[in-house]
């Protein structure tokens, strides 16, 4: 549990079955920003450098990486002095749990190498991220990317982070990932208009699509990009619980794009009908004797209503 200063990128982890485990790391708002087991960049400004890189060597005879464990470690990019905190490319069946602060470009870059002798996708990983992009306000938190034949897909994410002028989660070419929860807090004075960006692309195969966000809480919302910006829209993603009780705004859904979502106060599909007693009144005068009973069922923004009203004695009631 110490801070280790580095002035150059660490050697690339380019073989499978490597385990690196620290004593844990935590990001704070005051004092020392990253505590625990921390790798801190103290070198000169290096916008194109990644402090830690985990990826196989590229080549038609090379294999992807698997069974990597890199957890319990913080990466302090020293207020934007280095471009990337952690880069993960073409890795499967691995576990990552890191706290990354203030990369000038992106805290965590997830992508694919140029060539392998087998599938190059980043898949079936468990990825837990604690992110801060305040002192380097233009940096993105995590980017999920790929190319025309391989991408970031079928992973499990848990993401908690603070951002300022750029989105916290930026999905460029990804699909069918499970984001079990995302909490994106925009810092005071920040100009970011979205916490999660689901981007379209030049072709339908190169977009963010079919992403599953099980819970989203954010100062600003999720933006799903459509054909007004891209040739192919981002489609078929879902948010199962939008944290509207904590003022998370509704998603922005562009033309041609699609998103299925529910609020955290939306009733579930198998809820029972709820009984209630309606209030019955005349436009003028008073009804002498009346009874009423009702039931309702809510499905998202649609309410199904059943009423039975009996006026036994009209009295002076009219209208």
């Amino acid at each position: 549990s110490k801070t280790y200063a580095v002035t150059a990128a660490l050697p690339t982890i380019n073989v499978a079955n490597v385990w690196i485990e620290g004593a844990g790391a935590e990001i704070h708002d005051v004092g020392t920003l990253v505590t625990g087991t921390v790798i801190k960049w103290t070198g000169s400004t290096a916008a194109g450098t990644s402090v830690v890189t985990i990826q196989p060597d590229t080549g038609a005879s090379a294999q992807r990486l698997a069974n990597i464990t890199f957890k319990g470690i913080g990466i302090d990019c020293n207020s934007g002095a280095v471009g990337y905190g952690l880069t993960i490319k073409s890795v499967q069946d691995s576990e990552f749990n890191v706290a990354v602060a203030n990369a000038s470009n992106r805290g965590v870059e997830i992508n694919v190498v140029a060539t392998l002798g087998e599938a190059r996708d980043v898949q079936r990983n468990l990825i837990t991220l604690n992110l801060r992009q305040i002192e380097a306000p233009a940096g993105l938190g995590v980017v999920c990317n790929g190319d025309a034949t391989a991408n970031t897909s079928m992973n499990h994410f848990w993401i908690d982070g603070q951002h300022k002028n750029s989105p916290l989660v930026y999905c460029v070419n990804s699909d069918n990932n499970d984001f079990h929860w995302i909490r994106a807090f925009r810092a005071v004075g920040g100009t970011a208009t979205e916490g999660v960006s689901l981007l379209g692309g030049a072709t339908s195969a190169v977009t963010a699509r079919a992403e599953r966000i099980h819970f989203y809480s954010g100062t600003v919302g999720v933006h799903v990009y459509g054909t007004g910006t891209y040739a192919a829209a981002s489609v078929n993603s879902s948010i199962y619980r939008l944290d509207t009780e904590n003022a998370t705004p509704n998603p922005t859904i562009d033309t041609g794009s699609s998103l299925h979502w529910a609020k955290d106060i939306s009733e579930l599909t198998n809820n029972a009908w709820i009984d209630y007693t309606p209030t019955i009144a005349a436009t003028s005068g008073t009804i002498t004797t009346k009874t009423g009973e009702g039931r309702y069922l809510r499905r998202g923004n649609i309410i199904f209503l059943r009423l039975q009203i009996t006026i036994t004695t009209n009295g002076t009631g009219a209208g």
Side-chain angles (χ1 to χ4, degrees):
S1 183
K2 296 179 182 294
T3 296
Y4 301 89
V6 297
T7 58
L10 294 181
T12 297
I13 297 171
N14 59 0
V15 294
N17 305 302
V18 173
W19 286 39
I20 300 179
E21 186 171 353
E26 182 69 22
I27 293 178
H28 301 273
D29 295 324
V30 295
T32 303
L33 289 181
V34 190
T35 60
T37 301
V38 183
I39 302 167
K40 182 174 182 178
W41 182 268
T42 60
S44 57
T45 301
T49 298
S50 179
V51 179
V52 178
T53 298
I54 302 172
Q55 67 178 55
D57 296 329
T58 186
S61 62
Q63 294 179 325
R64 60 180 174 261
L65 300 186
N67 303 314
I68 302 290
T69 296
F70 190 87
K71 65 181 183 178
I73 297 170
I75 301 174
D76 188 345
C77 297
N78 202 0
S79 298
V82 66
Y84 302 79
L86 171 65
T87 296
I88 302 166
K89 293 185 178 182
S90 297
V91 179
Q92 297 189 3
D93 300 302
S94 298
E95 181 180 359
F96 305 94
N97 188 329
V98 296
V100 183
N102 296 310
S104 63
N105 195 318
R106 50 201 67 178
V108 179
E109 164 79 1
I110 303 175
N111 211 323
V112 299
V113 296
T115 305
L116 283 180
E118 56 187 2
R120 300 175 295 120
D121 307 82
V122 180
Q123 292 182 338
R124 302 191 304 273
N125 299 292
L126 306 179
I127 303 172
T128 303
L129 305 176
N130 190 356
L131 305 168
R132 180 183 177 97
Q133 289 294 156
I134 297 178
E135 286 72 28
L140 298 160
V142 56
V143 174
C144 299
N145 208 341
D147 59 24
T149 59
N151 70 353
T152 302
S153 54
M154 295 184 284
N155 300 284
H156 295 269
F157 286 91
W158 294 263
I159 301 173
D160 190 6
Q162 302 172 75
H163 62 121
K164 194 165 186 180
N165 296 343
S166 298
L168 183 74
V169 179
Y170 199 72
C171 294
V172 182
N173 183 5
S174 59
D175 69 84
N176 288 291
N177 295 289
D178 283 293
F179 294 89
H180 292 276
W181 54 266
I182 300 173
R183 182 169 62 173
F185 178 79
R186 187 185 65 182
V188 174
T191 59
T193 58
E194 52 209 67
V196 175
S197 303
L198 301 178
L199 304 186
T203 69
S204 59
V206 186
T207 61
R209 60 200 183 279
E211 299 287 35
R212 296 178 293 270
I213 301 174
H214 296 269
F215 175 81
Y216 176 71
S217 180
T219 314
V220 288
V222 175
H223 189 163
V224 188
Y225 283 81
T227 51
T229 307
Y230 292 93
S234 177
V235 296
N236 298 330
S237 293
S238 301
I239 303 174
Y240 297 101
R241 304 282 292 182
L242 189 73
D243 187 19
T244 53
E245 283 201 320
N246 284 315
T248 300
N250 291 345
T252 299
I253 306 171
D254 289 352
T255 301
S257 64
S258 62
L259 178 74
H260 313 283
W261 61 280
K263 300 177 181 180
D264 55 1
I265 58 172
S266 296
E267 297 191 30
L268 301 177
T269 55
N270 291 324
N271 280 5
W273 286 82
I274 299 173
D275 295 328
Y276 83 103
T277 302
T279 299
I280 307 164
T283 302
S284 63
T286 302
I287 302 173
T288 302
T289 308
K290 79 275 188 185
T291 59
E293 58 182 351
R295 311 180 90 192
Y296 72 90
L297 179 67
R298 188 169 67 182
R299 295 285 183 263
N301 292 326
I302 300 174
I303 294 179
F304 300 90
L305 183 65
R306 295 176 179 174
L307 288 172
Q308 180 171 313
I309 295 172
T310 302
I311 299 176
T312 306
T313 307
N314 192 63
T316 62

